Amino acid sequence: MRVPLTAKSTGAPLLPRRARSEAAEFLRVFIRYPTALVGMVVVALMVVSALLAPILSPFPQEAMDIGSRLAGPRLQHLLGTDQFGRDILSRILYGARVSLIVGVGATLLASAAGVMVGGFSAFIGGAVDEVVMRAMDIVLAVPYIVLGIALVAVLGPSLPNLILAIAVTRIPQFARVTRGAVLSTREQVFVEAARAAGLSTGRIFLRHVLPNCITPIVVLATLSAGTAINAEAALSFLGLGIQPPLSSWGTMLADGRRFMMDAPWIATFPGLAISLTILGFNLLGDGLRDALDPRFRR
């Protein structure tokens, strides 16, 4: 007689039926959007390329071949070389590391700060909410690239300062999105029950309110990663981002602009890498929005 598999018989905990059904429903909706799958594949390829850059790169990122200066794409250098004879493909692969570190790092930092600021502001309400939101409005009134330039100019051009500067420009977006989600959640019955049980404000927010507001935050984080990569490229292009000997897509664009007529591949391929990565994050964010929003599941 067959014995049905259970958590006790297999020795491994089984997922609750509701969790399994929610995950299956999410995957069912997500795979209905081919563009979302394309975005996920593009982002995955960029991450793998960045992680395996030392293995995939045919040359070290700063290796110079003076005899092959400004050489076009060919078998030895698939994407050509720059004005110093450095391999473009190798520099793009290593530059992916910098762009993804800045994009993901700035997004995580901005989301953590923005969620705390916007969430507690909405949950507490009153004068605190007004003061915090007006401060966020002031930051939003300044174009993010101008604010990023000012912050990097004050802090100095380095990788940690670049991440911090870009994160500060993204905090207001996370704060406002979190505030809107918390305002619609804090009046729910389960929050009132938690208050009646005597739980502290911080515990109610972290244990009961924030988990029910995670969907718009995840979608915004995915979209913001592409914006952060774009900001890093812009600041590096202006000379305020990543400094040599590290390679960055933005610095490669800045180097290649002087050779657009004689060697357009120096700037073209890094520009394509930036555009493709941002497009991948945007498509992935759109797919997550549709898969996580119950209105689209119908």
Side-chain angles (χ1 to χ4, degrees):
M1 182 177 67
R2 288 188 176 181
V3 179
L5 292 178
T6 62
K8 185 179 292 185
S9 63
T10 59
L14 298 178
L15 287 174
R17 180 177 300 177
R18 181 175 180 180
R20 293 200 304 270
S21 63
E22 286 290 331
E25 180 68 12
F26 169 80
L27 292 175
R28 184 185 67 81
V29 176
F30 187 81
I31 62 178
R32 277 173 27 197
Y33 298 90
T35 55
L37 294 177
V38 171
M40 184 174 63
V41 170
V42 170
V43 172
L45 287 176
M46 290 299 175
V47 172
V48 171
S49 300
L51 293 176
L52 301 181
I55 299 174
L56 299 177
S57 300
F59 301 94
Q61 60 174 326
E62 292 300 322
M64 299 183 185
D65 184 3
I66 302 300
S68 299
R69 292 176 62 250
L70 302 177
R74 56 186 180 178
L75 186 60
Q76 184 179 4
H77 301 283
L78 295 179
L79 301 183
T81 61
D82 63 7
Q83 69 274 25
F84 299 110
R86 297 175 296 189
D87 185 68
I88 298 295
L89 176 59
S90 301
R91 290 178 60 77
I92 287 177
L93 290 174
Y94 278 98
R97 286 183 158 188
V98 173
S99 295
L100 290 176
I101 288 174
V102 172
V104 175
T107 300
L108 290 177
L109 186 59
S111 61
V115 166
M116 292 297 106
V117 171
F120 279 112
S121 172
F123 199 72
I124 295 174
V128 173
D129 184 34
E130 285 294 326
V131 171
V132 171
M133 285 301 104
R134 297 297 76 76
M136 295 297 102
D137 290 340
I138 293 173
V139 177
L140 281 173
V142 182
Y144 79 93
I145 192 64
V146 175
L147 182 59
I149 291 173
L151 291 174
V152 173
V154 172
L155 299 174
S158 66
L159 183 59
N161 292 342
L162 187 61
I163 294 175
L164 179 60
I166 296 175
V168 170
T169 66
R170 303 302 300 167
I171 288 176
Q173 286 83 357
F174 283 96
R176 295 193 68 85
V177 168
T178 304
R179 177 179 180 270
V182 171
L183 286 176
S184 63
T185 305
R186 68 178 184 178
E187 305 300 333
Q188 298 294 327
V189 176
F190 62 88
V191 177
E192 295 295 334
R195 287 198 186 101
L199 298 181
S200 63
T201 301
R203 183 174 181 136
I204 294 174
F205 174 73
L206 294 175
R207 294 287 300 274
H208 300 281
V209 176
L210 187 58
N212 290 278
C213 304
I214 202 68
T215 296
I217 297 172
V218 170
V219 175
L220 178 61
T222 307
L223 298 174
S224 293
T227 304
I229 290 174
N230 189 38
E232 181 275 325
L235 292 174
S236 296
F237 181 84
L238 296 173
L240 296 173
I242 301 303
Q243 302 297 312
L246 292 176
S247 60
S248 166
W249 292 340
T251 56
M252 294 178 70
L253 282 175
D255 293 339
R257 63 180 173 175
R258 295 176 297 169
F259 303 95
M260 285 300 298
M261 301 302 297
D262 300 324
W265 53 85
I266 299 177
T268 299
F269 291 117
L272 289 176
I274 295 171
S275 301
L276 188 61
T277 304
I278 295 174
L279 177 63
F281 275 107
N282 288 341
L283 293 177
L284 180 60
D286 289 341
L288 287 175
R289 179 203 61 191
D290 297 341
L292 293 172
D293 195 332
R295 294 173 298 178
F296 289 93
R297 295 186 183 183
R298 301 193 186 98

